[in-house]
Amino acid sequence: MKIYVGSQNPTKVDSVKQVFVNHDVTGMEVESRVAAQPFSDEETLEGAINRARECASMNKSNLGIGLEGGVMEIEGDLYLCNWGALVDSKENVFTASGARIALPDEIKKSLEKGKELGEVMDAYANKHEVRKNEGAIGIFTNGVIQREEMFSHVVKLLKGQWEFYQQF
C-alpha cells in the first residue's frame, strides 16, 4: 500500500515511515488551506484534514496522512499543538492530537505579530531549520522529545484507529 504524507518536511515524512514500516511512504507538497501559522486546535486540525484528503484523492487505493503543527491559547497562555488526520480509500477520516507544551511569552508576542513558529524558533534558538529538526518541542524540552517523535505518536494513534475499524 502507498501512503502519501501531505508534506515534504523530513520530520513529518519520517514519523510516518517509522510507524508504517512495511509500506511505501511518500511526502508531497499539498496546501493546508489554513493560515501558515494556525492559531487554534480547530484551525490546526482543519489543516491536517485538508492535507490528508488531498493526498488520499491522488489514488483511492492509498492512504493520505496530514500532519499539522500549530498553537492554541488557554487562559492567556499559548501552547504548542499538533494534529494528524488519516483518510482511507473509503474516505473515512481519522484524527488525533498529541503533546502540548506552553510557549514562553517572548514566542507568543512574536507569533501575534504575524510570524510563523518555525521562523521564530530559528531566531530564538539561534539555529537553522528548527522545524525540520528538533522543532519547538525539542528546544523547550531540552531535547527530551523531538518533533519527529511527537508526530510519530500522533501517527500511531491514527494507524491504531484505522486498523481497529478495518475489522468491521
PDB file of all heavy atoms in Angstrom, residues 5-27:
ATOM      1  N   VAL A   5       2.011  11.477   2.383  1.00  0.00           N
ATOM      2  CA  VAL A   5       2.050  12.409   3.501  1.00  0.00           C
ATOM      3  C   VAL A   5       2.002  13.818   2.919  1.00  0.00           C
ATOM      4  O   VAL A   5       2.768  14.143   2.016  1.00  0.00           O
ATOM      5  CB  VAL A   5       3.339  12.231   4.339  1.00  0.00           C
ATOM      6  CG1 VAL A   5       3.347  13.182   5.523  1.00  0.00           C
ATOM      7  CG2 VAL A   5       3.488  10.790   4.787  1.00  0.00           C
ATOM      8  N   GLY A   6       1.129  14.633   3.452  1.00  0.00           N
ATOM      9  CA  GLY A   6       0.922  15.976   2.921  1.00  0.00           C
ATOM     10  C   GLY A   6       1.991  16.974   3.312  1.00  0.00           C
ATOM     11  O   GLY A   6       1.689  18.080   3.779  1.00  0.00           O
ATOM     12  N   SER A   7       3.238  16.615   3.116  1.00  0.00           N
ATOM     13  CA  SER A   7       4.363  17.495   3.418  1.00  0.00           C
ATOM     14  C   SER A   7       5.634  16.840   2.908  1.00  0.00           C
ATOM     15  O   SER A   7       5.698  15.611   2.784  1.00  0.00           O
ATOM     16  CB  SER A   7       4.489  17.698   4.928  1.00  0.00           C
ATOM     17  OG  SER A   7       5.631  18.482   5.239  1.00  0.00           O
ATOM     18  N   GLN A   8       6.631  17.653   2.636  1.00  0.00           N
ATOM     19  CA  GLN A   8       7.956  17.110   2.346  1.00  0.00           C
ATOM     20  C   GLN A   8       8.918  17.401   3.482  1.00  0.00           C
ATOM     21  O   GLN A   8      10.116  17.145   3.363  1.00  0.00           O
ATOM     22  CB  GLN A   8       8.475  17.652   1.017  1.00  0.00           C
ATOM     23  CG  GLN A   8       7.682  17.076  -0.147  1.00  0.00           C
ATOM     24  CD  GLN A   8       8.231  17.488  -1.495  1.00  0.00           C
ATOM     25  OE1 GLN A   8       8.867  18.529  -1.639  1.00  0.00           O
ATOM     26  NE2 GLN A   8       7.987  16.664  -2.491  1.00  0.00           N
ATOM     27  N   ASN A   9       8.379  17.897   4.601  1.00  0.00           N
ATOM     28  CA  ASN A   9       9.200  18.136   5.779  1.00  0.00           C
ATOM     29  C   ASN A   9       9.683  16.778   6.289  1.00  0.00           C
ATOM     30  O   ASN A   9       8.877  15.893   6.570  1.00  0.00           O
ATOM     31  CB  ASN A   9       8.377  18.855   6.853  1.00  0.00           C
ATOM     32  CG  ASN A   9       9.188  19.190   8.078  1.00  0.00           C
ATOM     33  OD1 ASN A   9       9.897  18.352   8.624  1.00  0.00           O
ATOM     34  ND2 ASN A   9       9.074  20.418   8.525  1.00  0.00           N
ATOM     35  N   PRO A  10      11.002  16.587   6.406  1.00  0.00           N
ATOM     36  CA  PRO A  10      11.524  15.276   6.784  1.00  0.00           C
ATOM     37  C   PRO A  10      11.025  14.771   8.142  1.00  0.00           C
ATOM     38  O   PRO A  10      10.870  13.564   8.324  1.00  0.00           O
ATOM     39  CB  PRO A  10      13.041  15.461   6.790  1.00  0.00           C
ATOM     40  CG  PRO A  10      13.293  16.905   6.653  1.00  0.00           C
ATOM     41  CD  PRO A  10      12.061  17.562   6.157  1.00  0.00           C
ATOM     42  N   THR A  11      10.758  15.659   9.096  1.00  0.00           N
ATOM     43  CA  THR A  11      10.276  15.179  10.393  1.00  0.00           C
ATOM     44  C   THR A  11       8.889  14.566  10.271  1.00  0.00           C
ATOM     45  O   THR A  11       8.580  13.580  10.949  1.00  0.00           O
ATOM     46  CB  THR A  11      10.255  16.296  11.464  1.00  0.00           C
ATOM     47  OG1 THR A  11       9.420  17.359  11.040  1.00  0.00           O
ATOM     48  CG2 THR A  11      11.651  16.802  11.750  1.00  0.00           C
ATOM     49  N   LYS A  12       8.062  15.111   9.399  1.00  0.00           N
ATOM     50  CA  LYS A  12       6.716  14.569   9.214  1.00  0.00           C
ATOM     51  C   LYS A  12       6.762  13.267   8.414  1.00  0.00           C
ATOM     52  O   LYS A  12       6.154  12.269   8.803  1.00  0.00           O
ATOM     53  CB  LYS A  12       5.818  15.601   8.528  1.00  0.00           C
ATOM     54  CG  LYS A  12       5.535  16.815   9.391  1.00  0.00           C
ATOM     55  CD  LYS A  12       4.655  17.811   8.667  1.00  0.00           C
ATOM     56  CE  LYS A  12       4.356  19.016   9.533  1.00  0.00           C
ATOM     57  NZ  LYS A  12       3.446  19.966   8.865  1.00  0.00           N
ATOM     58  N   VAL A  13       7.481  13.263   7.312  1.00  0.00           N
ATOM     59  CA  VAL A  13       7.574  12.063   6.473  1.00  0.00           C
ATOM     60  C   VAL A  13       8.222  10.918   7.246  1.00  0.00           C
ATOM     61  O   VAL A  13       7.724   9.783   7.235  1.00  0.00           O
ATOM     62  CB  VAL A  13       8.332  12.362   5.163  1.00  0.00           C
ATOM     63  CG1 VAL A  13       8.536  11.097   4.346  1.00  0.00           C
ATOM     64  CG2 VAL A  13       7.598  13.423   4.341  1.00  0.00           C
ATOM     65  N   ASP A  14       9.302  11.198   7.943  1.00  0.00           N
ATOM     66  CA  ASP A  14       9.994  10.148   8.695  1.00  0.00           C
ATOM     67  C   ASP A  14       9.144   9.605   9.835  1.00  0.00           C
ATOM     68  O   ASP A  14       9.235   8.422  10.165  1.00  0.00           O
ATOM     69  CB  ASP A  14      11.339  10.652   9.220  1.00  0.00           C
ATOM     70  CG  ASP A  14      12.358  10.854   8.113  1.00  0.00           C
ATOM     71  OD1 ASP A  14      12.134  10.370   6.978  1.00  0.00           O
ATOM     72  OD2 ASP A  14      13.390  11.514   8.365  1.00  0.00           O
ATOM     73  N   SER A  15       8.304  10.450  10.427  1.00  0.00           N
ATOM     74  CA  SER A  15       7.434   9.953  11.503  1.00  0.00           C
ATOM     75  C   SER A  15       6.441   8.930  10.956  1.00  0.00           C
ATOM     76  O   SER A  15       6.138   7.941  11.622  1.00  0.00           O
ATOM     77  CB  SER A  15       6.698  11.111  12.190  1.00  0.00           C
ATOM     78  OG  SER A  15       5.725  11.695  11.355  1.00  0.00           O
ATOM     79  N   VAL A  16       5.974   9.126   9.737  1.00  0.00           N
ATOM     80  CA  VAL A  16       5.059   8.160   9.116  1.00  0.00           C
ATOM     81  C   VAL A  16       5.826   6.888   8.743  1.00  0.00           C
ATOM     82  O   VAL A  16       5.339   5.778   8.954  1.00  0.00           O
ATOM     83  CB  VAL A  16       4.335   8.772   7.900  1.00  0.00           C
ATOM     84  CG1 VAL A  16       3.466   7.731   7.203  1.00  0.00           C
ATOM     85  CG2 VAL A  16       3.498   9.977   8.328  1.00  0.00           C
ATOM     86  N   LYS A  17       7.029   7.038   8.230  1.00  0.00           N
ATOM     87  CA  LYS A  17       7.854   5.870   7.878  1.00  0.00           C
ATOM     88  C   LYS A  17       8.152   5.011   9.102  1.00  0.00           C
ATOM     89  O   LYS A  17       8.222   3.790   8.995  1.00  0.00           O
ATOM     90  CB  LYS A  17       9.165   6.321   7.227  1.00  0.00           C
ATOM     91  CG  LYS A  17       8.997   6.828   5.815  1.00  0.00           C
ATOM     92  CD  LYS A  17      10.324   7.263   5.222  1.00  0.00           C
ATOM     93  CE  LYS A  17      10.143   7.740   3.797  1.00  0.00           C
ATOM     94  NZ  LYS A  17      11.413   8.189   3.192  1.00  0.00           N
ATOM     95  N   GLN A  18       8.330   5.622  10.255  1.00  0.00           N
ATOM     96  CA  GLN A  18       8.608   4.866  11.486  1.00  0.00           C
ATOM     97  C   GLN A  18       7.422   3.999  11.895  1.00  0.00           C
ATOM     98  O   GLN A  18       7.608   2.936  12.473  1.00  0.00           O
ATOM     99  CB  GLN A  18       8.917   5.818  12.641  1.00  0.00           C
ATOM    100  CG  GLN A  18      10.277   6.414  12.601  1.00  0.00           C
ATOM    101  CD  GLN A  18      10.526   7.306  13.807  1.00  0.00           C
ATOM    102  OE1 GLN A  18       9.758   7.337  14.766  1.00  0.00           O
ATOM    103  NE2 GLN A  18      11.619   8.043  13.755  1.00  0.00           N
ATOM    104  N   VAL A  19       6.213   4.466  11.605  1.00  0.00           N
ATOM    105  CA  VAL A  19       5.013   3.750  12.032  1.00  0.00           C
ATOM    106  C   VAL A  19       4.537   2.775  10.965  1.00  0.00           C
ATOM    107  O   VAL A  19       4.124   1.661  11.268  1.00  0.00           O
ATOM    108  CB  VAL A  19       3.900   4.755  12.411  1.00  0.00           C
ATOM    109  CG1 VAL A  19       2.606   4.038  12.771  1.00  0.00           C
ATOM    110  CG2 VAL A  19       4.367   5.651  13.557  1.00  0.00           C
ATOM    111  N   PHE A  20       4.594   3.163   9.710  1.00  0.00           N
ATOM    112  CA  PHE A  20       4.167   2.311   8.588  1.00  0.00           C
ATOM    113  C   PHE A  20       5.421   1.750   7.914  1.00  0.00           C
ATOM    114  O   PHE A  20       5.700   2.038   6.750  1.00  0.00           O
ATOM    115  CB  PHE A  20       3.329   3.122   7.595  1.00  0.00           C
ATOM    116  CG  PHE A  20       1.942   3.438   8.080  1.00  0.00           C
ATOM    117  CD1 PHE A  20       1.683   4.623   8.764  1.00  0.00           C
ATOM    118  CD2 PHE A  20       0.886   2.566   7.848  1.00  0.00           C
ATOM    119  CE1 PHE A  20       0.394   4.931   9.205  1.00  0.00           C
ATOM    120  CE2 PHE A  20      -0.401   2.857   8.279  1.00  0.00           C
ATOM    121  CZ  PHE A  20      -0.643   4.045   8.965  1.00  0.00           C
ATOM    122  N   VAL A  21       6.149   0.906   8.650  1.00  0.00           N
ATOM    123  CA  VAL A  21       7.475   0.457   8.206  1.00  0.00           C
ATOM    124  C   VAL A  21       7.454  -0.408   6.952  1.00  0.00           C
ATOM    125  O   VAL A  21       8.404  -0.398   6.191  1.00  0.00           O
ATOM    126  CB  VAL A  21       8.226  -0.281   9.341  1.00  0.00           C
ATOM    127  CG1 VAL A  21       8.673   0.679  10.407  1.00  0.00           C
ATOM    128  CG2 VAL A  21       7.388  -1.394   9.927  1.00  0.00           C
ATOM    129  N   ASN A  22       6.404  -1.146   6.708  1.00  0.00           N
ATOM    130  CA  ASN A  22       6.377  -2.039   5.553  1.00  0.00           C
ATOM    131  C   ASN A  22       5.572  -1.479   4.388  1.00  0.00           C
ATOM    132  O   ASN A  22       5.071  -2.232   3.556  1.00  0.00           O
ATOM    133  CB  ASN A  22       5.817  -3.406   5.964  1.00  0.00           C
ATOM    134  CG  ASN A  22       6.721  -4.096   6.960  1.00  0.00           C
ATOM    135  OD1 ASN A  22       7.941  -4.044   6.823  1.00  0.00           O
ATOM    136  ND2 ASN A  22       6.139  -4.705   7.972  1.00  0.00           N
ATOM    137  N   HIS A  23       5.473  -0.164   4.328  1.00  0.00           N
ATOM    138  CA  HIS A  23       4.687   0.479   3.273  1.00  0.00           C
ATOM    139  C   HIS A  23       5.537   1.514   2.546  1.00  0.00           C
ATOM    140  O   HIS A  23       6.553   1.982   3.065  1.00  0.00           O
ATOM    141  CB  HIS A  23       3.448   1.138   3.864  1.00  0.00           C
ATOM    142  CG  HIS A  23       2.538   0.167   4.554  1.00  0.00           C
ATOM    143  ND1 HIS A  23       1.669  -0.639   3.875  1.00  0.00           N
ATOM    144  CD2 HIS A  23       2.385  -0.138   5.860  1.00  0.00           C
ATOM    145  CE1 HIS A  23       1.013  -1.396   4.742  1.00  0.00           C
ATOM    146  NE2 HIS A  23       1.431  -1.120   5.958  1.00  0.00           N
ATOM    147  N   ASP A  24       5.114   1.850   1.357  1.00  0.00           N
ATOM    148  CA  ASP A  24       5.775   2.865   0.558  1.00  0.00           C
ATOM    149  C   ASP A  24       5.224   4.226   0.981  1.00  0.00           C
ATOM    150  O   ASP A  24       4.054   4.534   0.731  1.00  0.00           O
ATOM    151  CB  ASP A  24       5.502   2.591  -0.924  1.00  0.00           C
ATOM    152  CG  ASP A  24       6.215   3.555  -1.841  1.00  0.00           C
ATOM    153  OD1 ASP A  24       7.075   4.330  -1.369  1.00  0.00           O
ATOM    154  OD2 ASP A  24       5.905   3.553  -3.046  1.00  0.00           O
ATOM    155  N   VAL A  25       6.045   5.025   1.658  1.00  0.00           N
ATOM    156  CA  VAL A  25       5.627   6.326   2.176  1.00  0.00           C
ATOM    157  C   VAL A  25       6.299   7.421   1.354  1.00  0.00           C
ATOM    158  O   VAL A  25       7.523   7.428   1.192  1.00  0.00           O
ATOM    159  CB  VAL A  25       6.014   6.477   3.663  1.00  0.00           C
ATOM    160  CG1 VAL A  25       5.671   7.861   4.173  1.00  0.00           C
ATOM    161  CG2 VAL A  25       5.334   5.398   4.509  1.00  0.00           C
ATOM    162  N   THR A  26       5.488   8.340   0.838  1.00  0.00           N
ATOM    163  CA  THR A  26       5.983   9.436   0.014  1.00  0.00           C
ATOM    164  C   THR A  26       5.435  10.756   0.519  1.00  0.00           C
ATOM    165  O   THR A  26       4.230  10.890   0.725  1.00  0.00           O
ATOM    166  CB  THR A  26       5.540   9.254  -1.454  1.00  0.00           C
ATOM    167  OG1 THR A  26       6.031   7.996  -1.932  1.00  0.00           O
ATOM    168  CG2 THR A  26       6.064  10.370  -2.335  1.00  0.00           C
ATOM    169  N   GLY A  27       6.315  11.709   0.692  1.00  0.00           N
ATOM    170  CA  GLY A  27       5.894  13.060   1.050  1.00  0.00           C
ATOM    171  C   GLY A  27       5.608  13.870  -0.195  1.00  0.00           C
ATOM    172  O   GLY A  27       6.281  13.708  -1.211  1.00  0.00           O
TER     173      GLY A  27
END
